[in-house]
C-alpha cells in the first residue's frame, strides 16, 4: 500500500468538535505527527485527539522553530520533510495534526507546500475554526446577509491594522496577545468595541471569555486569543 | 426537564464532516427542524444528518420564504418561532439544522435573534464552513502568516464588490451563481483570476470543481457555489 499524507484539522480545543473524518483518519494512521515549538514541548493538537489514538501508533513530535534565523528554520523544515517522506516511502499512513483549520494560518500550509510535489497522495481534512467556535459559544453572529467578514492577524503593523479596522464592519482579530493595548485603542477608535467578545483558549479546560473588553487593562493574554467584533450601526 | 434549543451546524455536505457534538445533539433530539424555502422543499441539511436521526424523532419542515414581501416574511417567521416555543414549553430538545456554520450567513441567525430573549437555553454548535472544505479539497491555502482573509457575498452591488476585490488579496466569494459573468470580469481586473478555484455543492454527490475559471463561459451555476482566490504577487 502506498503512503498517504493527511493534514488533519482538529478544531479549536474541544474533542467533541472533531469531525468524523478526522477521527477515522487518526484511528487508521500508522504515524501521527504532532508539531511543537522549541518553547512549547506540549502539543495541544495531540491532547485533543489523544483518546482516538490506537496503541500501535508511532507518535512523532516535530519541532518547527519560531525563529527569524532562516538557516535554522530551513534546516529544521528540511529535516522534518525528510522524516515524513521516509515514512511515506515505507507505505505508512501519516497524519499531521493541526489546530483549527489546516488551510488558515497553520504550520501545515508550509509542510503541505514542501510535500505537494513529492509524488505522494496528500489529503487535507478541514477543521472548525476558533472564530466559528467563539461565535457559537458567545451567541455572536459573525456575518449576515450581504455583510463582509474580515479576518486579520493583530500582529500586522500598526498603521495597516488601523486601516483594516477602519474599513471592515465585521472583524475577526487573531493573535491579539501581543499588541493587546494597541488593538483595544484601535477598536475603540474604529467603533467596534461596544459589540465585541474575546476568548482565550476556546474549548480548552482553561478557556476564558470576556464580554466587556473596555474593562480589561494590562492583561497578560494567552497565545490563542481571538476577538470578534461588529461595528455599531448609526 | 426544560426545553433546550440547539442550532446545529452540519457542515458543507459530506456527512463525515459532521462533528461529534452535532451527531450527539441530533441523536438525543426530540424534534429536528429542517428549514426549507418555498421553491425548494428538499432539505439538504436534513439529508446530511439522515443516518443519525432516531426513529422516534419528530421531523418538522419549516418554510422560511425567500421573498421581499415583508408582511409575508414576518408572518412566516412569527409562526415558526411560535411553533418552536411550543415544543420548548413541552420540555423538548429541539435541534435546528443549518448548513455550514450557524453564525455565518444563515437563516439560523434570524431564528436565534427571535428566540434569544425567550428564556429558554440556546446552544449553538459550530460547523465546517464551505470555504474551509473547498480549500482543503483543492489544496488551496486560504491565508498564511499575516495575510487578511475577506469573505464577501457576490450578491453585493457591483461597485461595492469591485472595491472589495481591489483591496483584498485573499478572497472567499460566496453565492457567485447570480452575477457570475460580472464577478469573473472583476476578478480578472483585480488580478485574482490566475489563482482561483470554484466549487459547486462541495461534498455532495453532484459536486463540481473548476480550476481554470477563465475557461468557463455562460455557465448555469448551482446556488451553493463558492470561489476562493488569491491575488498574484508581482
Amino acid at each position: 500500500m502506498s503512503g498517504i499524507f493527511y493534514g488533519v484539522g482538529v478544531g479549536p480545543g474541544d474533542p467533541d468538535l472533531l469531525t468524523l473524518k478526522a477521527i477515522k483518519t487518526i484511528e487508521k494512521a500508522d504515524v501521527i505527527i504532532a508539531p511543537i515549538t522549541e518553547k512549547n514541548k506540549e502539543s495541544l493538537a495531540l491532547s485533543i485527539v489523544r483518546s482516538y489514538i490506537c496503541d500501535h501508533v508511532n507518535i512523532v513530535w516535530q519541532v518547527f522553530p519560531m525563529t527569524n534565523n532562516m538557516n535554522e528554520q530551513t534546516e529544521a523544515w528540511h529535516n522534518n520533510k525528510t522524516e515524513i517522506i521516509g515514512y511515506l516511502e515505507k507505505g505508512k499512513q501519516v497524519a499531521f495534526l493541526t489546530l483549527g483549520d489546516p488551510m488558515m494560518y497553520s504550520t501545515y500550509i508550509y509542510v503541505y507546500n514542501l510535500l505537494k510535489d513529492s509524488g505522494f497522495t496528500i489529503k487535507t481534512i478541514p477543521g472548525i475554526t476558533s472564530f466559528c467556535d467563539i461565535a457559537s459559544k458567545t451567541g455572536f453572529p459573525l456575518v449576515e446577509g450581504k455583510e463582509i467578514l474580515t479576518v486579520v492577524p493583530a500582529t500586522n503593523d500598526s498603521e495597516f491594522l488601523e486601516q483594516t479596522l477602519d474599513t471592515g464592519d465585521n472583524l475577526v482579530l487573531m493573535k491579539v496577545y501581543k499588541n493587546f493595548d494597541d488593538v483595544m485603542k484601535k477598536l475603540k477608535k474604529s467603533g467596534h468595541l461596544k459589540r465585541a467578545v474575546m476568548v482565550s483558549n476556546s474549548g480548552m479546560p482553561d478557556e476564558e471569555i470576556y464580554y466587556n473588553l473596555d474593562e480589561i487593562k494590562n492583561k497578560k493574554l494567552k497565545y490563542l486569543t481571538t476577538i470578534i467584533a461588529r461595528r455599531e450601526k448609526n
Side-chain angles (χ1 to χ4, degrees), chain A residues 63-146:
Chain A
V63 175
F64 289 83
M66 304 273 255
T67 169
N68 292 323
N69 181 333
M70 283 308 284
N71 286 343
E72 194 187 329
Q73 199 170 60
T74 306
E75 193 190 338
W77 288 20
H78 175 78
N79 292 343
N80 290 338
K81 175 193 168 183
T82 306
E83 187 178 26
I84 292 168
I85 286 184
Y87 291 120
L88 294 172
E89 283 173 343
K90 286 180 193 147
K92 303 292 184 192
Q93 312 289 294
V94 181
F96 188 100
L97 305 179
T98 172
L99 272 178
D101 180 75
M103 288 303 190
M104 291 192 81
Y105 305 115
S106 71
T107 300
Y108 172 72
I109 296 174
Y110 300 97
V111 178
Y112 174 84
N113 285 331
L114 287 174
L115 290 170
K116 67 180 176 186
D117 299 321
S118 65
F120 290 99
T121 300
I122 303 182
K123 294 184 181 180
T124 309
I125 297 156
I128 300 287
T129 62
S130 63
F131 59 84
C132 286
D133 185 35
I134 291 169
S136 276
K137 78 176 42 161
T138 60
F140 196 106
L142 288 163
V143 261
E144 300 172 54
K146 295 182 182 179

Side-chain angles (χ1 to χ4, degrees), chain A residues 8-234:
Chain A
V8 183
V10 302
D14 179 352
D16 266 1
L17 290 181
L18 284 166
T19 64
L20 283 183
K21 206 168 202 165
I23 292 170
K24 286 177 185 174
T25 304
I26 287 154
E27 284 176 342
K28 75 179 174 190
D30 303 304
V31 179
I32 286 177
I33 298 186
I36 51 175
T37 59
E38 279 162 319
K39 274 189 192 164
N40 193 354
K41 305 275 179 202
E42 295 287 309
S43 165
L44 189 54
L46 187 65
S47 70
I48 295 171
V49 303
R50 183 61 87 171
S51 63
Y52 298 102
I53 297 177
C54 302
D55 290 342
H56 61 84
V57 169
N58 184 4
I59 299 175
V60 176
W61 285 262
Q62 284 194 338
V63 175
F64 289 83
M66 304 273 255
T67 169
N68 292 323
N69 181 333
M70 283 308 284
N71 286 343
E72 194 187 329
Q73 199 170 60
T74 306
E75 193 190 338
W77 288 20
H78 175 78
N79 292 343
N80 290 338
K81 175 193 168 183
T82 306
E83 187 178 26
I84 292 168
I85 286 184
Y87 291 120
L88 294 172
E89 283 173 343
K90 286 180 193 147
K92 303 292 184 192
Q93 312 289 294
V94 181
F96 188 100
L97 305 179
T98 172
L99 272 178
D101 180 75
M103 288 303 190
M104 291 192 81
Y105 305 115
S106 71
T107 300
Y108 172 72
I109 296 174
Y110 300 97
V111 178
Y112 174 84
N113 285 331
L114 287 174
L115 290 170
K116 67 180 176 186
D117 299 321
S118 65
F120 290 99
T121 300
I122 303 182
K123 294 184 181 180
T124 309
I125 297 156
I128 300 287
T129 62
S130 63
F131 59 84
C132 286
D133 185 35
I134 291 169
S136 276
K137 78 176 42 161
T138 60
F140 196 106
L142 288 163
V143 261
E144 300 172 54
K146 295 182 182 179
E147 291 171 352
I148 292 177
L149 183 69
T150 307
V151 185
V152 53
T155 44
N156 272 289
D157 81 61
S158 187
E159 199 179 327
F160 180 72
L161 190 62
E162 187 159 330
Q163 205 178 310
T164 308
L165 267 51
D166 278 345
T167 51
D169 287 334
N170 300 57
L171 298 174
V172 173
L173 277 152
M174 316 282 286
K175 298 184 191 165
V176 294
Y177 69 99
K178 221 174 182 175
N179 310 316
F180 181 65
D181 291 336
D182 186 46
V183 168
M184 295 300 286
K185 265 185 223 157
K186 288 185 169 48
L187 283 173
K188 191 163 195 171
K189 196 172 160 225
S190 61
H192 288 91
L193 207 55
K194 284 188 186 163
R195 290 188 66 192
V197 293
M198 179 169 78
V199 180
S200 290
N201 289 6
S202 188
M204 298 170 207
D206 60 346
E207 173 186 273
E208 288 175 18
I209 303 180
Y210 305 89
Y211 290 96
N212 300 309
L213 268 65
D214 42 5
E215 291 173 11
I216 310 167
K217 300 267 180 264
N218 304 317
K219 177 89 184 155
K220 175 114 185 76
L221 292 166
K222 296 182 178 100
Y223 180 71
L224 293 171
T225 300
T226 301
I227 291 173
I228 59 180
R230 180 180 275 265
R231 201 196 313 271
E232 285 279 282
K233 279 177 187 136
N234 294 322

